[in-house]
Amino acid sequence: MAVQEARHGSGSGKGAYEAVHGGGCTCGDCPHGAREGHRRAVAAFLSRRDEFAAGQGLPAAVAHSASASRQWVSEELTQSAEVVAERGRAEGEAWLAGLGRRTAATVWAGVVLLLLVQSLTAIGTGWTAARTAGLAAALVVAGALTAASWFHRARGGALAPVIGEDNRLSTSRAVAAAWVLFVAYAVLVLVGQLAVASGPARRDALVSGLELTRGAGAVTVLAVVCGIAVLVRRVVGLRVLAQRLQKVRADRPRASDLLTDDAGRGTFADIQYVVISAVALVFAAVRLARRPDQLPDLPWGLAVVVLVSAATYVAGKYAEGGRPVILSVVRAREAGDLDAPIRTGDDIEIRGAGFVPPGAQRADRLSRMVVRIGAVNVHVPLVPVTGGFSNPADDLLTVPVPADVEPGRVDVQVVTSAGVETNRYAIDVTD
């Protein structure tokens, strides 16, 4: 016992180790690192939320008052959600720091795979200068991506250019980056063959392979997808500034961001753009493998299909989102209550649409919602139920009317967690 007490007192035991590595360190594979800390915080929050949803854990001082207990529960869940959000941000930063190494490893694994494929296909036909040029081009591209991963190692490595301002993978940037890398690789293959060409006729043939008539379709697609990447960034930025689109920041980028919206739901515009672009890239890669002495001649039919897909994607970006709106405000009524006008101390139901932005379903985001009643800012209370929250919801908010609200006609306005304000709705508050 004395040894155990001395060990605990000196901080060399397990308890002291967990106190140091309680989920906040970034020791790589440490079991008590950022990921473990986030997992523990989420588990503690979910347990707390379900406990309150079952009506347990309330102190006796507030148990007698429904409004007081609701406020106390909301504050407790808000504080616990802030811990979860902090741990989530720490995990996201640690994950991004390691993404550069994983990206570089994936790139070099692709180079090895290319070498194996070339070696297998060379059986019976022999090794050619085109194969050497293709392997050399792959080494150059892989080296460039590895250097980019090192310079942007804190921001996701080579994937940093395709991560948007909201910390999600951008579909338009990812598609454009894929086409840029492919065209750069194709040109490098031609350059490698030109460097080892033995005669003037061969060199002239390789130079003619770069003519626009040979790769007009691929060049057109490259120009369009790069232009769309710039246009979409501008469109999204202007719509956010005009409060026509709500954006909340993610903890870290995910591969599913390429096919889904901010709420994680699959979107047709993104999916069809990625799928059709990937099919066109595969076709162009096969054409390059069959004719490595010229730019891949993407047929105009396939190029037009990619352009139609790109136009659909841009139209989807223009159509998504919308400003939140209040449709009506009524007095909340429980079973057995008499009908009456709105008075201070009463609960009101705000009915509308768009109160919860996509990706803001977490408790720390929901707790940032505010309702302005006259000159008073009222934070929307979190009302837990098993598996989630009944308040706030995307189409319904319930808040109390504080005693500081002066009787008379006042305006009600909702401010979402993304900072977007709704229209003003006038109500009458009586004494």
Side-chain angles (χ1 to χ4, degrees):
M1 183 178 298
V3 173
Q4 292 178 354
E5 290 178 356
R7 180 175 298 171
H8 287 295
S10 62
S12 59
K14 180 180 179 181
Y17 179 80
E18 292 185 354
V20 176
H21 298 268
C25 71
T26 56
C27 304
D29 297 330
C30 174
H32 301 285
R35 177 178 296 181
E36 179 65 16
H38 183 227
R39 187 192 66 80
R40 292 180 181 180
V42 170
F45 172 79
L46 295 179
S47 176
R48 192 75 165 159
R49 183 198 64 191
D50 293 341
E51 179 184 7
F52 289 146
Q56 304 173 357
L58 293 175
V62 299
H64 66 283
S65 173
S67 61
S69 60
R70 182 179 61 184
Q71 184 66 27
W72 185 86
V73 167
S74 180
E75 294 294 336
E76 288 292 314
L77 290 177
T78 298
Q79 294 179 9
S80 181
E82 290 297 333
V83 175
V84 173
E86 180 183 355
R87 296 299 190 188
R89 288 189 292 269
E91 180 193 8
E93 293 175 358
W95 186 86
L96 277 178
L99 182 60
R101 297 188 297 271
R102 294 191 294 270
T103 303
T106 303
V107 169
W108 287 105
V111 174
V112 174
L113 179 62
L114 176 63
L115 176 60
L116 292 176
V117 171
Q118 287 187 340
S119 300
L120 292 176
T121 55
I123 297 176
T125 60
W127 191 270
T128 62
R131 299 180 190 277
T132 302
L135 183 59
L139 292 174
V140 172
V141 173
L145 292 177
T146 302
S149 297
W150 187 85
F151 283 108
H152 299 279
R153 55 188 179 277
R155 284 291 303 152
L159 293 181
V162 300
I163 297 177
E165 288 73 15
D166 58 352
N167 209 29
R168 295 181 176 88
L169 287 179
S170 170
T171 302
S172 59
R173 297 184 196 180
V175 171
W179 277 100
V180 167
L181 288 176
F182 173 76
V183 172
Y185 174 78
V187 173
L188 287 174
V189 170
L190 289 174
V191 171
Q193 295 179 83
L194 185 61
V196 298
S198 57
R202 176 59 176 169
R203 288 194 291 269
D204 291 341
L206 291 171
V207 172
S208 64
L210 289 172
E211 292 181 356
L212 186 60
T213 55
R214 302 288 183 90
V219 173
T220 302
V221 170
L222 174 66
V224 170
V225 296
C226 290
I228 285 177
V230 177
L231 176 62
V232 167
R233 179 180 181 182
R234 180 65 174 171
V235 168
V236 172
L238 291 178
R239 286 173 60 84
V240 170
L241 293 177
Q243 297 192 2
R244 306 295 301 176
L245 181 66
Q246 302 190 74
K247 277 284 187 180
V248 294
R249 184 177 175 84
D251 287 336
R252 66 176 178 88
R254 293 174 171 82
S256 60
D257 295 339
L258 300 177
L259 306 175
T260 61
D261 59 9
D262 292 352
R265 299 183 296 262
T267 56
F268 171 75
D270 294 62
I271 292 174
Q272 60 87 27
Y273 188 43
V274 170
V275 170
I276 292 179
S277 299
V279 170
L281 269 174
V282 171
F283 181 90
V286 172
R287 292 293 295 173
L288 178 63
R290 301 295 295 178
R291 295 293 302 272
D293 57 345
Q294 66 179 40
L295 285 177
D297 51 341
L298 198 66
W300 277 111
L302 183 56
V304 171
V305 170
V306 176
L307 299 184
V308 171
S309 173
T312 304
Y313 174 76
V314 174
K317 286 300 178 181
Y318 271 103
E320 73 177 1
R323 190 166 184 173
V325 60
I326 297 177
L327 300 178
S328 61
V329 179
V330 299
R331 177 178 176 269
R333 178 180 177 274
E334 296 182 359
D337 283 353
L338 298 176
D339 295 329
I342 299 176
R343 297 185 176 90
T344 56
D346 290 343
D347 288 342
I348 57 174
E349 291 183 357
I350 304 174
R351 301 170 183 176
F355 296 147
V356 180
Q361 291 80 12
R362 301 183 321 190
D364 63 301
R365 300 288 186 180
L366 297 177
S367 63
R368 297 180 183 178
M369 299 181 63
V370 175
V371 175
R372 293 197 188 110
I373 305 178
V376 182
N377 291 328
V378 182
H379 287 272
V380 180
L382 300 177
V383 180
V385 294
T386 302
F389 297 93
S390 62
N391 187 63
D394 188 63
D395 57 352
L396 179 65
L397 305 178
T398 302
V399 295
V401 179
D404 294 333
V405 175
E406 296 292 338
R409 196 165 186 82
V410 296
D411 289 333
V412 176
Q413 189 178 31
V414 176
V415 182
T416 70
S417 58
V420 179
E421 299 177 343
T422 66
N423 58 306
R424 298 178 183 272
Y425 193 95
I427 63 172
D428 293 314
V429 179
T430 61
D431 293 330

